[in-house]
Amino acid sequence: MLQYIQAVAGAAPVIVRPVSRRLFLKSATASGLALAAFPAAAFETYPTGGLEMPGGLATDPLVFVSIDGEGTVTIVTHRSEMGQGARTSLPMVVADELDADWSRVVIEQAVGDHDRYGNQNTDGSRSLRHHIQTMRQMGAAVRRMLVEAAAERWGVAPDGVEVGLHALTNRASGETIDFGAVAEAAMARPVPAFETLSFKDPADFRYIGRGEIGITDLRDITTGEAVYGADVVLDGMLTAVIARPPVVGGTVKSFDPSAALAVGGVREVIELPAPPSPYAFMPLGGIAVVADNTWAAIKGRDALIIDWDDGPNAGYDSAAFRAEMERIAKEPGTVKREQGDPDAAFASAARTFEREYYQAHMAHAPMEPPVAVAHVSDGKAEIWAPTQNPGGMRGDVATVLGLDPANVTVNVTLLGGGFGRKSKGDFGLEAAMIAREVGVPVRVQWTREDDIRHSFMHTVSLERIEVALDENDKVTGWRHNSVAPTILSTFVPGATGQFPIENGMGHVDMPFDIPNIRCDNGEVEAHARIGWWRAVSNVPRAWAVQSLAAELAVELGRDQKDMLLELIGEPRVIDPAASGFPEDFWNYGEVYDEYPIDTGRLRNVVEIAAAESGWGQALPAGEGLGLAVHRSFVSYVAVAARVKMVGELITVPEMHIAIDCGFAANPERIRSQMEGSAVMGMTLALHSAITYREGRVEQSNYTDYEMVLADNFPADVHTHIVEHPFSVHAAGVGEPGVPPVAPAIGNALFNASGKRVRDLPIGATV
């Protein structure tokens, strides 16, 4: 087992005041830092080399479900809500198996506690995929407990009790009682063994798969009553903003706090030491200004005089780094997949075809910037934060503050967008560290500029693909060199090569039916903090592979859909070993036999998207359709996008998205996620680029890191969900809709304007 995430010992960052280094030195030598550093034993490994995060699955119904004497069913949700519907879908599964009336269900958000609730890191599009069966198990267990309690009350055998909607009926007498009548007795019973449980026939589901349950928080969100991170207010709370190093790895050489302290409302100025390298999810350090309110804190920060040492990344320049990646991409890299004899295929080719595709860094830029409230007192810490990973934040805070995790509480608010950014706990750590220092509750508020300049960036990438063609224009060889700084660099000193999780995202698992394939990595050093971003490395891989397929169609005078289907080949289940996949091939943490790569399902979504979009019909001048398809998070998604040129402006008035995610447990949320994917995909296609000059991010706000706005977005998104019975495993939904959107737009742009773009972002105009 690879030790993917390395612990950094003996370097726990703490807060220091400018007037005293003693606290820092004492704490730094007394405790080690194992931030996000999980021992190999904490991972569950699968035959495919997949990873599961610490905590695993929790199945104790008494932890998740309770019923009171009024019959109110309270269901705890242990995943974070950021629009994807986890707070709705998981309790919905429990309620369905329990036969609870949804109108009498109360949902309670779990605090961060991996030991109690199992894995809580809401990422990887795995909430339903990993937990639908355990949620059913909990519902079935509580249903059985209710039945046994009613049977005891009536003096009958359990099979003499019938369960209806929130009610129990004595089959012999016909008497019916509410769940609440036996709730106390039922909840006191032993939890029945799994093998004694009976489960509903899927045909009898009330809620699962019906798409009739709206998102739980919708009313609160639309009326402004929902509680996000910045809505938390505690008595005596102060607000802090932080001047962070403008270059990753930079440090404070000296600073003058006097002007900041002279600003009305500013209480304290505190130095946060820079973390050791690699940075993991530690704060970047810098100077915190603590004040009575956000405005005073910001004005105080503006008044600070800081002399920065920019450190080892001071020379990072996006243009120069791209040139370096282009050079490396032309050289052989570390081979990750080898099938057949690619060298022979290229040596004997009638002709070859090669292209390079580029994607800039991207920031997550959620509508809600990072924010956290902390109160540290009497050896205990309590945090309120919009975090995707409350259990991880809890452990990190305990480590940094030197507390027993039992004395750390992390409360999860709603997230105003996450996209992977809020799975990192640095903003919660900042709040905890400052709150410990000032002795009262503190809210650390990131501004939009903070968020864009100091994010964990989506990696920049250069994808070079070469194709060998025989005399009949059949593709006989494929070489794909993927060059990108690795996420592993965030955790492991000197990491330059991509690791199995990244390689398994549209690179080594490329599904085309080509006899000779080589996939390799050119290694480059990271000069920014690299982190998970919605769909992660699938985004640049789909951009490259699907753009290349469309370009090849044009080169050969073929219809794009026909070319794409020919490359995919006949319906089959790919054999990883026979196809040269590496032994550590990562299949999104799933056993391959349960979630194989099925090209029949891939072809099917292409056919659906094409047919529904009217593929092949003549379009007016200045309009074009484009196709793209991608498998990620064990789901299959195809996009047909229509581009319409309005002068030089690129518009996308219509999009058809076909998704095969196995059993569709909550169709309402699936449609919502595909619509969100269309908007986010168009944003990354046209706008999203983070660039560096002299180590500094050049963008600062939505003015120069633009989003798709209301005057130009995919207004008409049609989602086509492939229907499957419950026996077909549910797969990912939150992320897999994003990767094929940009190449579909790029391919449509070519068909509309004749302009082929190989860089992301494309730009809003031609």
Side-chain angles (χ1 to χ4, degrees):
M1 180 67 189
L2 292 175
Q3 186 68 26
Y4 288 127
I5 304 175
Q6 177 169 321
V8 183
V14 298
I15 304 175
V16 295
R17 298 177 190 273
V19 296
S20 172
R21 298 282 172 174
R22 182 174 299 174
L23 177 61
F24 170 60
L25 294 173
K26 180 179 178 181
S27 299
T29 56
S31 62
L33 174 65
L35 195 63
F38 311 120
F43 290 97
E44 179 182 354
T45 59
Y46 295 93
T48 53
L51 285 176
E52 176 56 38
M53 297 296 287
L57 304 177
T59 58
D60 184 354
L62 298 181
V63 169
F64 287 83
V65 186
S66 62
I67 307 175
D68 67 16
E70 299 299 318
T72 300
V73 177
T74 299
I75 302 174
V76 174
T77 179
H78 66 308
R79 315 292 280 180
S80 298
E81 178 60 55
M82 47 192 160
Q84 85 285 24
R87 272 173 55 91
T88 302
S89 299
L90 293 175
M92 179 190 75
V93 173
V94 177
D96 201 330
E97 198 64 53
L98 175 59
D99 266 320
D101 182 341
W102 186 251
S103 68
R104 299 176 68 185
V105 170
V106 173
I107 296 173
E108 181 179 299
Q109 184 69 48
V111 297
D113 191 339
H114 279 320
D115 292 337
R116 181 172 177 81
Y117 299 110
N119 176 258
Q120 293 178 269
N121 193 11
T122 310
D123 70 346
S125 301
R126 54 201 170 101
S127 289
L128 263 175
R129 158 172 133 235
H130 280 190
H131 296 283
I132 187 170
Q133 284 300 95
T134 57
M135 295 297 114
R136 288 190 75 200
Q137 181 178 337
M138 284 183 250
V142 175
R143 174 163 44 84
R144 177 69 183 180
M145 293 159 72
L146 288 166
V147 166
E148 291 175 351
E152 185 174 319
R153 171 179 173 142
W154 288 322
V156 300
D159 60 6
V161 178
E162 181 179 344
V163 183
L165 181 62
H166 226 91
L168 302 144
T169 299
N170 185 328
R171 294 181 189 274
S173 69
E175 180 184 359
T176 296
I177 58 175
D178 186 79
F179 281 0
V182 292
E184 184 177 357
M187 300 312 294
R189 296 190 64 80
V191 175
F194 175 81
E195 57 270 16
T196 67
L197 299 178
S198 61
F199 293 88
K200 274 188 173 183
D201 186 312
D204 297 327
F205 285 157
R206 295 183 186 275
Y207 314 125
I208 302 170
R210 305 301 184 194
E212 298 169 0
I213 302 296
I215 189 168
T216 299
D217 304 286
L218 183 59
R219 182 188 181 281
D220 288 347
I221 291 169
T222 54
T223 60
E225 295 179 13
V227 177
Y228 295 89
D231 295 321
V232 175
V233 178
L234 304 181
D235 289 343
M237 184 180 76
L238 300 176
T239 297
V241 298
I242 301 169
R244 299 173 183 86
V247 178
V248 170
T251 57
V252 176
K253 288 199 292 187
S254 64
F255 72 101
D256 182 352
S258 56
L261 290 167
V263 173
V266 171
R267 298 288 192 92
E268 296 194 48
V269 175
I270 299 171
E271 182 176 0
L272 307 179
S277 179
Y279 314 110
F281 295 156
M282 280 300 297
L284 289 168
I287 308 297
V289 177
V290 185
D292 293 335
N293 54 63
T294 306
W295 179 249
I298 291 173
K299 297 305 290 183
R301 182 176 65 174
D302 291 345
L304 283 171
I305 299 173
I306 306 173
D307 185 12
W308 299 102
D309 179 344
D310 288 341
N313 297 309
Y316 187 33
D317 180 272
S318 291
F321 194 71
R322 174 174 182 166
E324 180 184 355
M325 290 195 296
E326 290 173 345
R327 175 185 60 78
I328 292 172
K330 293 178 172 64
E331 302 170 355
T334 303
V335 176
K336 300 296 183 179
R337 175 185 177 185
E338 184 91 19
Q339 174 186 332
D341 190 343
D343 291 337
F346 278 86
S348 62
R351 58 173 168 152
T352 61
F353 184 82
E354 62 276 334
R355 292 289 186 268
E356 290 181 355
Y357 302 92
Y358 175 81
Q359 182 192 343
H361 282 295
M362 293 188 295
H364 306 77
M367 186 62 69
E368 173 198 38
V371 59
V373 173
H375 187 203
V376 181
S377 177
D378 299 326
K380 295 185 178 181
E382 188 163 10
I383 315 293
W384 292 260
T387 172
Q388 292 177 238
N389 188 10
M393 183 179 285
R394 181 195 193 206
D396 296 346
V397 168
T399 298
V400 169
L401 298 189
L403 299 177
D404 186 319
N407 290 326
V408 178
T409 302
V410 175
N411 304 287
V412 184
T413 67
L414 288 176
L415 282 67
F419 316 124
R421 170 60 183 96
K422 293 172 186 172
S423 63
K424 295 87 171 168
D426 56 325
F427 53 100
L429 287 167
E430 290 174 334
M433 294 159 72
I434 297 171
R436 177 180 64 176
E437 188 69 7
V438 301
V440 298
V442 172
R443 174 172 63 217
V444 167
Q445 179 65 63
W446 288 49
T447 65
R448 175 63 57 207
E449 289 80 5
D450 294 337
D451 175 45
I452 287 177
R453 289 171 174 157
H454 302 296
S455 187
F456 290 82
M457 302 298 179
H458 185 290
T459 190
V460 60
S461 77
L462 195 290
E463 312 287 326
R464 179 179 174 83
I465 301 176
E466 302 171 88
V467 172
L469 299 155
D470 67 13
E471 62 278 2
N472 297 314
D473 284 336
K474 296 293 183 182
V475 178
T476 59
W478 176 279
R479 293 193 298 221
H480 181 175
N481 192 351
S482 178
V483 181
T486 174
I487 289 174
L488 204 59
S489 62
T490 301
F491 308 103
V492 178
T496 56
Q498 297 178 56
F499 74 135
I501 288 179
E502 293 163 312
N503 288 319
M505 293 183 169
H507 188 213
V508 301
D509 54 329
M510 193 277 299
F512 289 169
D513 188 12
I514 298 171
N516 305 290
I517 297 172
R518 177 179 296 140
C519 299
D520 53 357
N521 286 157
E523 298 188 7
V524 287
E525 187 176 349
H527 299 285
R529 293 197 300 179
I530 307 299
W532 315 115
W533 192 98
R534 189 178 184 183
V536 205
S537 296
N538 286 290
V539 173
R541 270 55 173 285
W543 170 244
V545 172
Q546 295 301 304
S547 296
L548 187 285
E551 289 207 62
L552 190 60
V554 173
E555 177 74 11
L556 301 180
R558 303 282 305 279
D559 176 83
Q560 184 201 337
K561 186 194 83 168
D562 294 343
M563 184 81 252
L564 184 56
L565 292 176
E566 179 180 310
L567 288 168
I568 294 170
E570 293 303 311
R572 68 199 185 284
V573 171
I574 291 178
D575 181 335
S579 300
F581 286 24
E583 291 184 3
D584 60 1
F585 162 59
W586 188 71
N587 190 42
Y588 300 92
E590 306 298 348
V591 176
Y592 190 80
D593 288 347
E594 299 292 330
Y595 287 91
I597 300 173
D598 185 335
T599 63
R601 295 172 72 176
L602 196 70
R603 291 177 61 95
N604 184 48
V605 291
V606 172
E607 296 279 17
I608 292 171
E612 295 291 344
S613 67
W615 186 267
Q617 297 180 9
L619 292 174
E623 295 189 26
L625 273 174
L627 269 175
V629 67
H630 193 71
R631 175 190 183 265
S632 65
F633 303 93
V634 293
S635 286
Y636 305 81
V637 179
V639 174
R642 180 162 64 93
V643 161
K644 179 180 180 180
M645 301 304 302
V646 179
E648 295 182 343
L649 180 67
I650 301 168
T651 73
V652 184
E654 186 178 30
M655 197 177 292
H656 288 263
I657 303 179
I659 178 171
D660 182 343
C661 57
F663 175 70
N666 191 343
E668 189 273 337
R669 282 295 90 193
I670 295 172
R671 287 190 291 272
S672 175
Q673 286 296 286
M674 293 306 102
E675 291 164 4
S677 295
V679 173
M680 194 165 188
M682 184 172 171
T683 291
L684 76 89
L686 303 189
H687 300 296
S688 295
I690 292 291
T691 56
Y692 287 81
R693 186 178 178 85
E694 296 181 347
R696 289 160 167 76
V697 173
E698 294 187 286
Q699 292 70 34
S700 62
N701 206 313
Y702 288 145
T703 53
D704 50 10
Y705 188 75
E706 297 180 59
M707 304 282 112
V708 164
L709 301 178
D711 60 351
N712 185 20
F713 71 104
D716 199 0
V717 178
H718 307 272
T719 301
H720 311 281
I721 302 171
V722 177
E723 294 187 7
H724 286 289
F726 185 78
S727 57
V728 178
H729 296 317
V733 171
E735 294 171 272
V738 174
V741 172
I745 291 173
N747 293 337
L749 174 63
F750 176 82
N751 292 331
S753 68
K755 181 176 178 62
R756 172 59 64 181
V757 182
R758 302 185 182 94
D759 290 1
L760 286 179
I762 294 168
T765 59
V766 173

